[in-house]
């Protein structure tokens, strides 16, 4: 049986252990919610102070040039690119995941509409279990395109092959499911979509910085994702959009603001999209929130996604094993796949009183979160989660369950 | 003739003079570009530090509830509302001006399409001299609505009455022109649009915090605007959108993300818009940049828009008079209207070597900016601009012009 000493020994051998010092983590907290809001890189505070005091306060308007504010979406996109198998000039960090998904879906539909062989396709396929805003954005876009698109919601991964047919314009999937932690086989699913004549848009919200992603090898057509989860960019930090070089000339999106213009400061009254990834931009970006994204990326630059993945699987394997050993008497059911290839960097367990148990965990300093129905989510972030953290979290969970030390009438908070 | 001592005496009597201390302004700079990027409220640094270190770093995911992050767009919108004649529950601070304009235009077109009397209208009217991204967003939206909308560009204010006709679905105007400083008569123009059966969307980018605005009395249907200019919210700070209570039930926009859902954490797979202004929201907002917007609003809460307007007109009158007196020998032409009712809070002069002269001014610490063609812009921000600043700026301009101390071959920077 594994002991806490075993866990401490694994921490002593962990090549990523030193990176934890680059994060500001509060005393008395085991933070297992980096899949929702990543912890704060220590450097983020100084970076923000510099942007606010020097670049904004002192240099004022000149910082658009001298501090490179205008180039931030592209420059930081280039730094993110290696984590997702993208090339330089294929990613910008900008706007929100929802807004970027709108751009990507609209562009994909237009690419299909421009192909005489595919112009009649009128269906977007996604999963009913996808993160809701992804479904909502697809519904919003569909309802505004008067040619009459519909969003087809698939109930299980097994049904995807039947659901993607010759009526399908675009498949839109989140690579790692926010609730279950299930990871799609990107290459196989992209190939399936392409074989049926569809384009595929991937949402990497729970993948970027969490699991190795190779968008090119995975056959993705377009992708979006989030920087404030595993990438530790800060609360609500701007999201990203990836447009591969091969699709850039055909990429047209309706949010055609001045930052996507070929000559934004020529102030001409007609929109002409710039070449390259810049055409995915729209309006002026929130510089302070955007600049801090770099501090998270700086930590990733000190390791590799393979090293992160190895530790992620070790942490999630350990958590599953310990919960199943030490909490075996309780009605916990593993929701996340056991197979490594199908697992992201989180573990979800259901429990009939999942919300109440999670509230009790949080009160004891073990911060995960809760998602309907009855699911407790635990995110494992190898940059700052230790094996001893896993042990301690399970012990606190066991204690709460053994003593029934949770309030079954706990009322759900507005947000978490 | 006015002297510098006269200006200093006016500063001594200025009821707003004390507010200047609430801004961090660099030594040796006369900042006349607050119409592009407002100066930094001193409080913004501490506010950002608190959000980053305490709310993000220490409280982590809990801050969505405990620090009210989720409510920031509405709470700060309510604080902005009085500056633009809006009611509580009618404004949210979110996304970018471009994105908010897309929402507003789409919603206005849908309102018209839902009215049998007006459903055949297919034209959006705006000015050729409008800020380009406004035109681009209208063009982008139009090109994606397959019923075939067109954007009609009007060449002068005088042509507006002819251009707004029974084919016009929506009129979209920027209240104060970014280049000339011309201010539209909101009430008269709104009444004209309504008389012709059109809805009117106002962009307040150069109005909010600059001139008194009363959206309700002005007959506006929808409005958007910017927080990083006169409102001093910080570089690229999130923008705002106003939907009056009377239109909220009919307000539908295509960027239907989870923040606009009636029950965002129920995670249902179908979009149902929330009641009220929340339906103008889309995705997760950049919390640090958003939170700092409040520091600018805190300064406005210490005075009134009437007091700000009185000083703004005094500053711009003084600048015009001094330039025309002291630089009379040079080919400067006033672009901004002399009539108070037609003027925003900036003064633009054209000069054949406008770019080079502005570059020389900036090198001497007088920071305005340049806009094609040949226009030097000077923004006057009564919260932190003094009468002596105006005198000194004009003296430096006079010196540069008298000595021809500018490089006619100066090459234009990428951005400013």
């Amino acid at each position: 049986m594994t002991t806490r000493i075993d866990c401490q020994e694994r921490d002593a051998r962990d090549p990523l252990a030193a990176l934890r010092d680059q994060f500001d983590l509060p005393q008395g907290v085991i933070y297992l919610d980096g899949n929702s809001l990543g912890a704060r890189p220590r450097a983020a505070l100084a970076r923000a102070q510099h942007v606010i005091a020097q670049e904004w306060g002192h240099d004022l308007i000149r910082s658009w040039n001298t501090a490179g504010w205008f180039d931030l979406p592209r420059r930081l996109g280039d730094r993110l690119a290696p984590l997702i198998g993208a090339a330089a000039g294929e990613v910008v960090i900008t706007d929100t995941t929802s807004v970027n998904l709108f751009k990507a879906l609209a562009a994909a539909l237009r690419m299909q509409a421009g192909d005489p062989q595919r112009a009649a396709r009128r269906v977007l396929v996604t999963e009913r279990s996808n993160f809701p805003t992804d479904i909502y954005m697809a519904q919003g876009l569909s309802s505004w395109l008067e040619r009459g698109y519909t969003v087809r919601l698939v109930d299980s991964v097994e049904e995807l092959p039947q659901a993607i047919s010759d009526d399908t314009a675009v498949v839109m999937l989140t690579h790692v499911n926010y609730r279950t932690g299930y990871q799609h086989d990107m290459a196989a699913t992209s190939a399936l979509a392409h074989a049926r004549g569809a384009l595929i848009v991937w949402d990497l919200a729970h993948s970027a910085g969490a699991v190795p992603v190779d968008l090119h090898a995975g056959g993705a057509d377009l992708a979006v994702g989030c920087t404030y989860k595993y990438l530790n960019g800060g609360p609500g930090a701007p999201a990203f959009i990836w447009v591969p070089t091969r699709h850039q000339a055909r990429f047209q999106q309706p949010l055609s603001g001045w930052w996507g213009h070929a000559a934004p400061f020529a102030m001409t009254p007609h929109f002409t999209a710039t070449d390259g990834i810049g055409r995915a931009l729209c309006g002026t970006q929130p510089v302070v929130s955007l600049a801090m994204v770099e501090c998270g990326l700086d930590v990733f630059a000190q390791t590799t996604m393979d090293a992160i993945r190895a530790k992620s699987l070790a942490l999630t394997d350990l958590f599953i094993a310990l919960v199943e050993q030490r909490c075996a008497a309780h009605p916990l059911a593993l929701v996340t796949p056991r197979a490594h290839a199908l697992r992201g960097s989180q573990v979800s367990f259901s429990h009939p009183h999942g919300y109440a148990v999670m509230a009790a965990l949080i009160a004891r300093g073990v911060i995960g979160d809760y998602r309907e129905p009855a699911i407790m989510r635990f995110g494992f972030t190898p940059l700052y989660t230790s094996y001893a953290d896993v042990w301690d979290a399970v012990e606190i969970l066991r204690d709460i369950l053994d003593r029934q030390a949770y309030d079954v009438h706990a009322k759900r908070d507005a947000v978490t």
Side-chain angles (χ1 to χ4, degrees), chain A:
Chain A
M1 294 289 280
T2 304
T3 65
R4 190 173 198 279
I5 290 171
D6 297 334
C7 294
Q8 290 174 303
E9 286 173 359
R10 293 179 77 167
D11 286 326
R13 294 192 306 269
D14 173 14
L16 300 185
L19 297 178
R20 181 183 175 108
D21 288 341
Q22 297 187 33
F23 292 89
D24 178 47
L25 290 163
Q27 291 293 316
V29 162
I30 298 172
Y31 193 57
L32 303 179
D33 211 7
N35 52 315
S36 186
L37 173 65
R40 177 171 83 77
R42 288 189 194 282
L45 185 59
R47 180 71 202 269
Q49 287 170 328
H50 180 78
V51 173
I52 295 166
Q54 180 67 35
E55 296 178 7
W56 174 20
H58 187 271
D59 301 337
L60 289 158
I61 190 70
R62 295 168 287 196
S63 287
W64 284 108
N65 291 311
T66 58
W69 287 351
F70 193 71
D71 294 326
L72 273 175
R74 291 170 218 245
R75 189 171 68 74
L76 298 186
D78 283 350
R79 294 209 58 194
L80 169 60
L83 302 183
I84 55 173
E90 293 188 335
V91 181
V92 279
I93 300 185
T94 188
D95 293 333
T96 67
T97 308
S98 297
V99 165
N100 287 335
L101 191 62
F102 187 86
K103 299 171 189 167
L105 292 176
L109 291 180
R110 183 155 282 197
M111 285 186 213
Q112 295 288 60
D115 179 340
Q117 304 274 301
R118 300 176 174 185
R121 292 165 178 255
R122 287 289 180 280
V123 176
L124 288 95
V125 170
T126 190
E127 292 179 282
R128 189 180 299 277
S129 64
N130 200 344
F131 189 70
T133 205
D134 291 31
I135 300 172
Y136 304 156
M137 295 310 291
Q139 289 168 345
L141 176 65
S142 303
S143 75
W144 283 76
L145 296 176
E146 289 129 359
R147 288 189 292 166
Y149 287 89
T150 58
V151 179
R152 179 177 297 151
L153 298 179
V154 178
D155 284 313
S156 72
V157 175
E158 292 68 30
E159 291 173 34
L160 268 176
Q162 300 141 258
I164 304 172
S165 68
D166 60 8
D167 65 4
T168 306
V170 174
V171 178
M172 181 258 294
L173 294 172
T174 297
H175 181 224
V176 173
N177 186 277
Y178 79 102
R179 184 157 38 190
T180 65
Y182 175 90
Q183 180 177 177
H184 283 282
D185 182 333
M186 182 181 286
T189 313
S190 296
L192 172 68
H194 292 160
R196 305 277 162 85
L199 295 174
I200 189 157
V201 178
W202 288 98
D203 180 345
L204 305 180
H206 291 265
S207 309
V211 299
V213 176
D214 189 332
L215 286 166
H216 281 286
D221 289 298
L222 298 167
V224 302
C226 172
T227 68
Y228 58 75
K229 298 176 183 290
Y230 292 93
L231 294 174
N232 308 305
F240 65 86
I241 180 168
W242 170 77
V243 182
T245 307
R246 73 180 190 280
H247 283 328
Q248 287 178 356
R250 291 198 299 159
F251 182 88
Q252 291 178 277
Q253 53 97 357
L255 300 173
S256 51
W258 68 316
W259 279 39
H261 196 281
F265 295 93
M267 305 281 172
T268 62
H270 293 285
F271 185 76
T272 306
T274 189
D275 289 337
I277 187 64
R279 56 180 54 195
L281 298 172
C282 177
T284 305
Q285 292 301 297
V287 169
V288 179
S289 285
L290 179 54
M292 284 193 295
V293 172
E294 187 156 30
C295 302
L297 297 175
D298 284 341
V299 185
F300 281 91
Q302 299 166 53
T303 181
T304 65
M305 284 309 304
D306 286 343
I308 289 169
R309 178 62 169 169
K311 183 175 172 187
S312 164
L313 289 170
L315 290 168
T316 52
D317 279 346
L318 176 65
F319 184 75
I320 293 168
L322 288 176
V323 169
E324 293 186 337
Q325 287 164 21
R326 304 184 70 81
C327 307
H330 301 288
L332 289 164
L334 180 66
V335 174
T336 302
R338 288 179 200 278
H340 285 179
L342 304 181
R343 188 193 305 164
S345 197
Q346 74 179 69
V347 175
S348 298
F349 277 101
S350 68
H351 184 282
H353 297 294
Y355 179 72
V357 174
M358 181 52 72
L361 280 166
I362 292 171
R364 296 275 296 272
V366 178
I367 302 181
D369 63 20
Y370 173 80
R371 286 292 178 262
E372 299 287 356
I375 288 177
M376 296 187 288
R377 291 198 307 182
F378 301 92
F380 294 87
T381 44
L383 298 180
Y384 54 82
T385 303
S386 70
Y387 295 94
D389 285 341
V390 174
W391 174 275
D392 293 340
V394 174
E395 281 308 282
I396 292 170
L397 174 62
R398 184 187 58 71
D399 182 66
I400 288 168
L401 294 173
D402 285 354
R403 296 193 298 110
Q404 290 190 45
Y406 50 86
D407 174 8
V408 298
H409 303 296
K411 192 162 172 296
R412 204 172 160 203
D413 278 344
V415 180
T416 52

